[in-house]
Amino acid sequence: ELVRLATGVDLVEQQLRAGLGLPLDLEPRRSRHAGIRFLLPSSAGILAQVAGIEAAALVPGVERVVLTAAPGSVVSVARNAYDRLGYVVAVGDRTEGVERSLAEALSLLKIVIDPRRGDR
């Protein structure tokens, strides 16, 4: 997805074309930068909420803010990709702008974890 956002080249489409024996089109249509940052729990417990999603999504350059864990989910300190709570994707004309957008969006997100585990 980051390649598509940065260059306009849809790698999934190109993989399908390759599998079907069709000509590939890997020529970039644009030259931008894209980045991703993952939402990681800082402690174990029950995910109570992630506040600020709407505000983070409005940051200039932010393409999307996605929460992949539902409130009420048991979460652990991140050790692998499955422990992520979501992600923020940003695009821009310069790397620095993408980094600023990601940092600002993350600063607006507040992950609230109830340290109690098990049934409620």
Side-chain angles (χ1 to χ4, degrees):
E1 184 61 10
L2 296 179
V3 170
R4 185 189 67 75
L5 291 170
T7 68
V9 175
D10 185 332
L11 293 179
V12 173
E13 176 188 345
Q14 297 310 312
Q15 288 174 325
L16 291 171
R17 293 180 69 80
L20 294 170
L22 299 172
L24 302 182
D25 180 7
L26 298 171
E27 192 63 37
R29 290 156 186 71
R30 60 182 169 260
S31 179
R32 300 190 77 199
H33 300 266
I36 189 169
R37 292 294 177 273
F38 296 101
L39 305 180
L40 304 173
S42 58
S43 62
I46 305 293
L47 179 62
Q49 76 176 73
V50 178
I53 293 173
E54 297 82 9
L58 293 175
V59 171
V62 169
E63 180 72 19
R64 70 182 61 102
V65 179
V66 176
L67 185 61
T68 57
S73 299
V74 175
V75 298
S76 302
V77 175
R79 291 182 312 270
N80 59 49
Y82 298 107
D83 295 330
R84 297 172 183 161
L85 303 178
Y87 58 91
V88 177
V89 172
V91 295
D93 293 329
R94 300 179 52 93
T95 303
E96 297 82 9
V98 171
E99 292 293 333
R100 272 194 305 275
S101 295
L102 291 168
E104 182 178 346
L106 287 176
S107 75
L108 296 170
L109 296 170
K110 175 148 178 56
I111 299 169
V112 180
I113 296 174
D114 182 342
R116 294 172 291 171
R117 298 176 70 73
D119 292 332
R120 294 196 251 163

